[in-house]
Amino acid sequence: MRYLALPLLSQNLTESTARAQTLSLYLQLSLQVSLSQRNESTMSSSSSSLPSCPKKVVTLKSSEGETFEIEEIAALQSKTLENMIDENCADTPIPLPNIKGKILAKVVEYCNKHAEVGVDAESLRAWDAEFVNVENTTVFDYILAANFLEIPTLLDLTCQSVADMIKGKTPAEIEKTFNIKSAFTPEEEEQVRRENQWAFE
Amino acid sequence: MYGGSRAAQLVTVPSPSSVKKKMWNSLPLDVLAKIFSFLSPESLARANSACRHWHRCGRGYLLSMGSAVTWKHPPWFVAVPIRSLSGCCYVHNPNSDNWHAVPLDFLADPVRLISPIGGGLILLRSTSTTVHQLALCNPFTRQYKRLPKLNIPRTNPATGIVMLDPSRGASFPAFRVYVAGGMSDAPRGCGTYESTLEAYDSARERWQIIRPMPVEFAVRLTVWTPDESVCCDGVLYWMTSARAYSIMGFEIETNNWHELSVPLADQLEFAALIRHNGRLTLVGGTCSGAVSVWKLREGEVWSLVEEMPRELGSKLLGGKANWGGTKCVGTDGVMCLYRDLGSGMVVWREMKDNGRWEWFWVEGCCSIRGKKVQNFPIRAVLLHPNLAPSHFLN
């Protein structure tokens, strides 16, 4: 929505000129209102308020078809989205069929947080720690989303948190935590054990 | 309709029943490799054992070397018993401050440790022959490879390593080994000092004879020089202990030799050269009981930069009368002084959080997993354990 350059109504105007100017003003205002109304109807229902100054917004569509808005400046943290914005392909909703709405909402929240100005490093670190303080299945989804959208900070954060989950665990505990089956043949098992035996407590 | 390659990669939505299957053991390899890059070596070894996919990633994920890589983890102290009777080397984990025994049963020969090469590789000398025979090894991947024979067989030469700049297009590992001096078999049956220098290039994989060196240097390098060398600013340095300590320097580009004096040369009971923050550094212990660290400055002048705290020095001496038998290893960021496997060591390390250097004591290796370990005399190196097998060592 653009600000109107409101002309100053001079005191010395004749009545007809004043009327003409008022009419012109009214027409411009109503045009603006109808334009913003049209914008409103194309915006997603999850948008909370009209932007107060010209901000470009990118719309993302999750695998279930739910749409999420993200300000362009926050979206630039994703190299994938940045490329699309640069190539002017971000004007229509971008489908992300491999990211669920639940996860996409959180990823948008992450990008918004990291695009904020004036946040000190300490509190951002604490916020990040809370962000990954979730079930490891959720972290798994975050990793895939961050990888697809190429968000390096989120990818580092989530990968580090998984590494922290691995640290200090025996192979058996790792298999249990991450629900993986070793699937080694007996020969492979023997070789793997010989290679890595030194590290087992 | 949508530009960019990313939007075009539409991935099919997995059906609910297959979601559970597509989990951690099918994570894309590059993402898994990123997770693994945050793991210290012992955690990586355990992760490697979890499943085939993780094993493939952990072993194929090659830690690249060179100064461009910032090591997320500190180097490990790797001690090889001098007479390799135990069939193991002993490594100290700086993260958890405990020791591990890494088997060396895959070695084809009995060996003596010479130097780390970088990328987790170690240069060894095979002691099955008196003639100088070198080999490479990585204890964590159980790989061992002998280098080709020297052009001129010799015994007891000095060995030096130069890491080549990997950015110059050389593939990993990129290094050169120099062998100088030694005794060769003369036709009449008594040895003569061999005054040639040979160099082995990892790219060409063969030895080349370089022009001869002054005979008196060859003698000093043969009789009084241990195998450790330090390369700084294109010069290969060896410490020689002919009566008073002195340093031999070999300028690689010009093939010129020169000698450097050592501070307090006649008072030192042990002296070692290390590389510290990119500069040639000398660590020595005097008869007064002090251990000092000197750095070589412009104009080949030594300046004292640090002294070991006295109480740590006494602990290291362990009641012995002098510093004989004390050894030192160092790399950028850390320095270790040690004697035997069980006697403990003094570490001087740069702290990651504030960049200050601090001294502390590390207990020696007396037992592993409850089993007692003999107090072997050892030679040690500092290296970053590399769990990925190297094609070069096959």
Side-chain angles (χ1 to χ4, degrees):
Chain A
M1 194 173 150
R2 275 201 236 113
Y3 282 121
L4 294 173
L6 296 172
L8 280 172
L9 289 174
S10 162
Q11 299 281 26
N12 296 334
L13 283 174
T14 62
E15 196 192 8
S16 62
T17 321
R19 243 187 290 136
Q21 283 201 353
T22 315
L23 184 64
S24 152
L25 218 67
Y26 173 79
L27 280 172
Q28 283 185 64
L29 271 167
S30 61
L31 183 66
Q32 285 296 332
V33 168
S34 70
L35 270 175
S36 68
Q37 274 178 346
R38 198 185 317 159
N39 281 346
E40 257 187 80
S41 66
T42 59
M43 275 181 194
S44 117
S45 52
S46 57
S47 156
S48 49
S49 62
L50 280 174
S52 58
C53 57
K55 268 186 211 168
K56 268 216 82 181
V57 147
V58 176
T59 307
L60 307 173
K61 198 147 69 143
S62 74
S63 60
E64 303 106 331
E66 209 183 332
T67 53
F68 296 88
E69 279 212 327
I70 180 172
E71 281 178 27
E72 193 177 283
I73 190 152
L76 291 177
Q77 290 182 73
S78 153
K79 292 206 173 66
T80 307
L81 296 179
E82 184 187 3
N83 287 338
M84 299 188 77
I85 291 168
D86 281 345
E87 291 170 21
N88 289 316
C89 304
D91 296 328
T92 46
I94 300 168
L96 302 169
N98 50 342
I99 305 180
K100 293 192 292 242
K102 196 175 62 139
I103 302 298
L104 189 53
K106 292 296 280 180
V107 172
V108 167
E109 190 186 325
Y110 177 90
C111 291
N112 284 334
K113 181 71 183 180
H114 279 249
E116 267 179 36
V117 286
V119 184
D120 69 293
E122 192 58 52
S123 57
L124 190 62
R125 233 177 320 206
W127 191 91
D128 279 350
E130 261 313 297
F131 188 83
V132 284
N133 187 16
V134 289
E135 292 262 319
N136 70 15
T137 47
T138 311
V139 178
F140 180 82
D141 289 328
Y142 288 166
I143 290 181
L144 290 183
N147 189 43
F148 182 80
L149 289 170
E150 286 188 272
I151 308 171
T153 49
L154 183 57
L155 193 58
D156 275 351
L157 174 67
T158 47
C159 286
Q160 170 82 74
S161 80
V162 174
D164 291 342
M165 278 186 242
I166 295 174
K167 276 181 206 165
K169 291 195 166 70
T170 63
E173 288 166 349
I174 292 172
E175 288 175 36
K176 185 150 178 270
T177 306
F178 296 96
N179 196 27
I180 47 185
K181 301 284 184 298
S182 82
F184 286 122
T185 67
E187 296 82 39
E188 286 171 337
E189 186 80 54
E190 169 64 27
Q191 189 203 328
V192 167
R193 193 196 56 78
R194 217 178 326 133
E195 280 163 19
N196 300 307
Q197 186 66 47
W198 64 270
F200 299 170
E201 228 55 55
Chain B
M1 191 148 78
Y2 303 105
S5 56
R6 275 297 178 183
Q9 289 171 17
L10 297 181
V11 177
T12 54
V13 180
S15 64
S17 59
S18 65
V19 162
K20 274 229 173 84
K21 291 181 198 151
K22 279 181 187 288
M23 284 298 284
W24 298 99
N25 60 351
S26 57
L27 209 54
L29 277 175
D30 57 343
V31 174
L32 196 56
K34 192 180 241 300
I35 295 174
F36 284 179
S37 75
F38 290 106
L39 292 177
S40 54
E42 79 282 10
S43 297
L44 182 58
R46 294 200 212 115
N48 279 355
S49 316
C51 69
R52 204 186 270 141
H53 184 68
W54 284 29
H55 183 251
R56 193 170 61 217
C57 181
R59 294 262 294 178
Y61 171 62
L62 217 136
L63 293 168
S64 64
M65 21 158 290
S67 53
V69 174
T70 48
W71 292 100
K72 291 193 182 97
H73 311 286
W76 287 32
F77 181 86
V78 174
V80 177
I82 285 179
R83 266 167 281 282
S84 49
L85 291 167
S86 64
C88 281
C89 62
Y90 298 90
V91 308
H92 180 257
N93 182 344
N95 307 307
S96 57
D97 190 17
N98 68 334
W99 291 84
H100 300 277
V102 181
L104 292 177
D105 52 345
F106 61 94
L107 294 179
D109 312 303
V111 295
R112 195 182 160 96
L113 186 63
I114 293 183
S115 174
I117 286 205
L121 301 186
I122 309 178
L123 184 71
L124 307 159
R125 178 166 72 84
S126 159
T127 55
S128 58
T129 59
T130 48
V131 167
H132 204 60
Q133 170 65 60
L134 295 171
L136 290 175
C137 140
N138 182 342
F140 295 95
T141 61
R142 302 172 60 81
Q143 288 178 299
Y144 177 80
K145 171 174 157 163
R146 283 200 200 104
L147 293 188
K149 288 194 169 67
L150 290 166
N151 290 306
I152 300 170
R154 56 191 86 200
T155 58
N156 292 325
T159 311
I161 312 269
V162 175
M163 292 307 304
L164 297 175
D165 188 3
S167 67
R168 251 189 263 144
S171 62
F172 163 83
F175 62 89
R176 219 178 278 145
V177 182
Y178 289 89
V179 163
M183 300 267 303
S184 62
D185 280 326
R188 283 177 308 265
C190 58
T192 55
Y193 288 103
E194 185 51 58
S195 58
T196 55
L197 187 70
E198 288 196 53
Y200 172 88
D201 196 300
S202 62
R204 289 201 214 97
E205 295 194 53
R206 59 182 178 86
W207 291 95
Q208 210 179 338
I209 300 178
I210 304 181
R211 71 171 193 197
M213 56 192 286
V215 177
E216 60 274 19
F217 282 68
V219 173
R220 297 257 297 276
L221 286 173
T222 305
V223 182
W224 286 297
T225 301
D227 288 321
E228 294 113 355
S229 67
V230 173
C231 184
C232 276
D233 298 328
V235 182
L236 206 48
Y237 295 98
W238 287 273
M239 176 74 78
T240 68
S241 56
R243 255 180 242 141
Y245 282 100
S246 71
I247 296 172
M248 324 264 334
F250 171 67
E251 246 171 280
I252 295 161
E253 290 292 309
T254 61
N255 285 337
N256 286 331
W257 290 85
H258 65 279
E259 199 178 330
L260 273 179
S261 63
V262 162
L264 307 180
D266 47 355
Q267 293 174 47
L268 293 176
E269 289 172 351
F270 91 91
L273 287 177
I274 64 170
R275 199 192 146 95
H276 176 77
N277 289 349
R279 308 223 57 135
L280 185 66
T281 301
L282 190 142
V283 182
T286 61
C287 35
S288 67
V291 172
S292 309
V293 181
W294 291 272
K295 216 173 250 215
L296 190 68
R297 304 261 184 230
E298 293 291 331
E300 297 196 340
V301 171
W302 292 99
S303 70
L304 183 68
V305 294
E306 183 77 11
E307 277 200 18
M308 187 198 289
R310 284 283 183 153
E311 60 279 10
L312 287 177
S314 334
K315 231 174 161 175
L316 187 62
L317 264 177
K320 297 222 166 49
N322 66 38
W323 290 107
T326 305
K327 289 154 253 188
C328 179
V329 282
T331 184
D332 294 329
V334 64
M335 181 180 96
C336 300
L337 284 109
Y338 66 98
R339 296 171 73 101
D340 305 321
L341 185 59
S343 53
M345 56 184 172
V346 177
V347 175
W348 191 40
R349 169 179 280 142
E350 186 174 14
M351 306 317 283
K352 244 199 308 196
D353 39 0
N354 55 20
R356 278 191 14 235
W357 284 73
E358 284 178 19
W359 291 91
F360 53 97
W361 177 259
V362 169
E363 286 299 336
C365 177
C366 302
S367 72
I368 290 184
R369 275 189 256 142
K371 280 206 324 217
K372 194 163 184 292
V373 174
Q374 216 181 311
N375 189 14
F376 298 111
I378 51 173
R379 294 276 300 273
V381 293
L382 283 167
L383 56 77
H384 290 93
N386 188 348
L387 272 56
S390 165
H391 188 64
F392 188 82
L393 292 179
N394 285 333

